[in-house]
Amino acid sequence: MIAADFAPLAVALPLLGAAVAFILMRYSRAQRLVSVTVLGLTLGLAVVMLLAAPSAGTHAVRLGGWEPPFGIVLVVDQFSALMLVVSSAVSLVVLIYAAGQGTEDSGDEAPVSIFHPTYLILVAGVSNAFMTGDLFNLYVGFEVLLTASYVLMTLGGTAPRVRAGITYVVVSVVSSMLFLIAIAMIYGATGTVNMADLATKLDDVDPATQLVLHLMLLVAFGIKAAVFPLYFWLPDSYPTALAPVTAVFAGLLTKVGVYAMVRVETLLFPGGRLGSFLMVVALVTMVVGILGALAQSDLKRLLSFTLISHIGYMVFGLALSSRLGLAAAVYYVVHHIIIQTSLFLVTGLVERRAGTADVDRLGGLARLSPLLGILFFIPAMNLAGIPPFSGFLGKLGLLEAGVDAGTPLAFVLVAGAVFTSLLTLLVMARVWNRAFWRSTEDVEDPEPILLVGTAPDSTASGMHRVADQITGTSLAKESVKLLPGSMTGPTIGLVTLGVALTFLAGPLYTLTDNAAADMLERTPYIEAVLGVGAGT
Amino acid sequence: MTVDLTLIVLMAAFLAAGLYLLLERSLTRVLFGLILLGNGVNILILAMSGVGGAAAFYTEGTSGRDYVDSLPQALILTAIVITFAVTSFMLGLIYRSWVLGRKDEVQDDPESLRRETEDDYGHADDADRAADASEFPHPAEVRPLPRARTTPASGSRSASGSTGGQAR
């Protein structure tokens, strides 16, 4: 009995928790307790599995005792254990943040009580997608997390969210249909949907058919990962959702797509046949994404575009299909999940403190709340890749891998990556200068609440009184705290974790390097599922 | 592998019609498109199970080759449930959109449109502040607000300030 034998619990626990949380719908405090406990347990399990993974190797759990390739298997290798740890840690932090927001807003709105069960189902879907060793089960995992995300996206049913939700649902369903068509055709070609079994059988399929299947899967996952030219849905839909929802979507959902692409490229169709194609895609994703970010003034939309742009980095590492590139890409995924989520959480705080996330109307935030300034500045510089931070280490790894590959296209990508990094710095510096550094007097049309903070009468109650006069909204309810500790706390935690990635970089790179080696070798995965000798 | 041509033709018709409807602007048609697409894909999976055969219950003396491949049927069953759930959710969204007073149409993203129509990002920074020489406050500034002591420079609002955030 080893830790990885408990892998199904990482899916079952959130699902059970969702059921309990649903029953406790009327008791919001108990609901919060249940969901935080469940995610805490899931995180604990994931950490134990990750710590055991290097010594235990790749481990497969047969669900219901069915022998592979007939039954569904869950496979825990170092890559999936790492992704599981990061995803459960980030989702736990975001849950605490959301719970804090719920408490502060007195939590009596009806739609919010559905938040916890749905959120837990989302986490279950993500965990399932990270661990499954069965292509159809991967589809089910995707559908579980997508269906939960549809509900979270349209929470409250306001007009902008319904508008964005419809686009999001249609695009997601189309990508799922493409995935399903690919599964059907793969089944037709090989007679199996078990990923390890496919790895051994797909080699015998006619190369032209292989190419079709390969491309179908890449397009389906490319929509989910939001790579060029399949990213248009993302900046339209993400910014309208609640701040914690956007944060967890930006951190996790696109990365599930990237994860699936990694599995396709390493396990199912190894050898990097589409490597050059993916490199071009990565380059255009990076550059177009960041140019999009330059044109935005709404902070949430701007961050959505940087999210797209940085997906390009991961695809770059993957496209190199070398051990160095893959290791750097995995490190970059971990870094980016944490940093992008922190940035969106901070944006939620900015919106709460200042009443808007439109950079054109913000100003003087660093003076108004130095804490908020620091919380934004660190992940922003981290994303841009300023040296001490993990963003720099991740990009350095990718650049090294690119130079190591040595092809002309790889050098073009290295240049593109540096260029994108510079533009990211420009975008982030511009946000910093406008929203945080400039004085409110320089803002053309400042959000009224920003002016209130500089007034002599800036005590909390006086502030709310004046804010009430200006906006006439419910913001000025006496009970509303602008920056409650229950929301800044989790944000501080996640930003600290992002900084800690610098100090953990050594062990983490060793881990991702081993994971990359295992994935490229393929035999550990195949033998874990089908038994020794199957992979040859 | 043997493939049933009827099923393939049916699937192609479903997918083509579904795709056509999906590209329509009307949300109800988009919904029908999704339903057709889902069913078309299910037929494709069914076609991938090859020729028909005996139901997959164990019968004494039947060779393994005479049974139908039952795995695709299990996959279809799962896919049907998922499509059903998503369809009903989509129906709920469309109804909500209609309740909110929108037409039965895909709506444009207002922020996208705003970005497209706006002329220049750095407008606010580059505006010539000295041009605003009026002694009287801009109409938009007259608010019940004790602001005079906080922002003495607020009178220098540029005259061209109607592009950016004021669209809100």
Side-chain angles (χ1 to χ4, degrees), chain A residues 146-518:
Chain A
L146 282 176
T147 312
S149 76
Y150 301 156
V151 177
L152 289 176
M153 172 75 76
T154 53
L155 217 58
T158 58
R161 282 187 200 150
V162 169
R163 178 196 63 74
I166 288 173
T167 320
Y168 179 69
V169 173
V170 171
V171 172
S172 304
V173 170
V174 169
S175 94
S176 297
M177 286 303 157
L178 284 174
F179 185 18
L180 206 52
I181 292 174
I183 291 176
M185 299 204 308
I186 286 175
Y187 186 77
T190 61
T192 179
V193 284
N194 181 294
M195 275 152 66
D197 202 22
L198 279 175
T200 60
K201 285 182 180 161
L202 274 172
D203 293 340
D204 304 333
V205 175
D206 176 48
T209 317
Q210 269 192 44
L211 190 66
V212 172
L213 301 176
H214 193 171
L215 272 175
M216 290 282 295
L217 285 180
L218 281 186
V219 169
F221 298 142
I223 296 179
K224 291 181 208 292
V227 298
F228 180 88
L230 308 166
Y231 65 86
F232 289 97
W233 56 274
L234 193 147
D236 268 7
S237 52
Y238 277 17
T240 55
L242 283 172
V245 171
T246 315
V248 79
F249 281 13
L252 294 182
L253 296 200
T254 48
K255 306 309 180 301
V256 182
V258 173
Y259 170 88
M261 281 170 86
V262 171
R263 287 290 183 209
V264 168
E265 284 297 304
T266 57
L267 185 65
L268 299 185
F269 299 97
R273 266 214 312 171
L274 291 178
S276 321
F277 169 71
L278 277 178
M279 277 203 215
V280 174
V281 166
L283 180 68
V284 185
T285 309
M286 283 195 281
V287 175
V288 169
I290 204 66
L291 290 180
L294 268 174
Q296 305 303 318
S297 72
D298 178 57
L299 194 48
K300 284 170 148 188
R301 271 177 76 88
L302 184 146
L303 287 174
S304 302
F305 273 103
T306 62
L307 165 66
I308 295 166
S309 168
H310 285 245
I311 294 289
Y313 281 98
M314 299 160 211
V315 180
F316 171 32
L318 174 63
L320 289 170
S321 61
S322 66
R323 182 169 165 176
L324 270 178
L326 201 55
V330 174
Y331 181 84
Y332 205 86
V333 170
V334 173
H335 145 80
H336 196 253
I337 290 178
I338 293 171
I339 298 309
Q340 196 72 47
T341 312
S342 351
L343 278 172
F344 272 106
L345 289 185
V346 177
T347 307
L349 290 177
V350 166
E351 209 172 16
R352 195 179 170 84
R353 180 65 189 81
T356 180
D358 189 343
V359 181
D360 281 346
R361 308 189 67 198
L362 288 171
L365 272 175
R367 190 167 165 201
L368 208 56
S369 168
L371 173 69
L372 207 55
I374 294 168
L375 284 182
F376 179 82
F377 190 75
I378 293 175
M381 290 302 113
N382 202 334
L383 186 75
I386 296 299
F389 295 120
S390 56
F392 169 72
L393 300 169
K395 289 186 178 79
L396 186 68
L398 286 172
L399 297 187
E400 262 182 7
V403 172
D404 187 64
T407 58
L409 190 57
F411 278 110
V412 172
L413 258 118
V414 167
V418 173
F419 179 63
T420 308
S421 178
L422 280 175
L423 284 184
T424 311
L425 185 63
L426 174 66
V427 168
M428 286 301 152
R430 192 139 86 173
V431 172
W432 171 259
N433 281 341
R434 292 176 148 248
F436 290 87
W437 208 240
R438 69 173 167 180
S439 130
T440 31
E441 290 159 20
D442 294 336
V443 187
E444 191 181 331
D445 180 26
E447 193 68 25
I449 193 143
L450 290 170
L451 301 171
V452 175
T454 54
D457 182 25
S458 64
T459 54
S461 64
M463 212 153 83
H464 291 313
R465 191 162 40 74
V466 183
D468 199 22
Q469 283 175 7
I470 300 165
T471 58
T473 60
S474 61
L475 196 84
K477 265 193 285 181
E478 284 301 318
S479 60
V480 174
K481 262 196 258 168
L482 288 175
L483 285 178
S486 51
M487 287 172 76
T488 49
T491 317
I492 293 171
L494 203 60
V495 171
T496 317
L497 188 61
V499 174
L501 278 183
T502 306
F503 300 101
L504 292 173
L508 198 56
Y509 246 115
T510 317
L511 186 79
T512 59
D513 190 45
N514 289 335
D518 274 2

Side-chain angles (χ1 to χ4, degrees), chain A residues 123-150:
Chain A
V123 174
V126 172
S127 304
N128 189 32
F130 282 151
M131 287 192 302
T132 185
D134 184 282
L135 211 53
F136 193 79
N137 195 236
L138 182 62
Y139 164 75
V140 174
F142 266 124
E143 285 305 312
V144 170
L145 75 89
L146 282 176
T147 312
S149 76
Y150 301 156

Side-chain angles (χ1 to χ4, degrees), chain A residues 157 187 236 297 361 444, chain B residues 69 96 109 111 115 161 168:
Chain A
Y187 186 77
D236 268 7
S297 72
R361 308 189 67 198
E444 191 181 331
Chain B
D69 185 358
R96 178 73 189 163
D109 184 6
E111 181 70 17
R115 285 282 124 221
R168 258 169 81 105

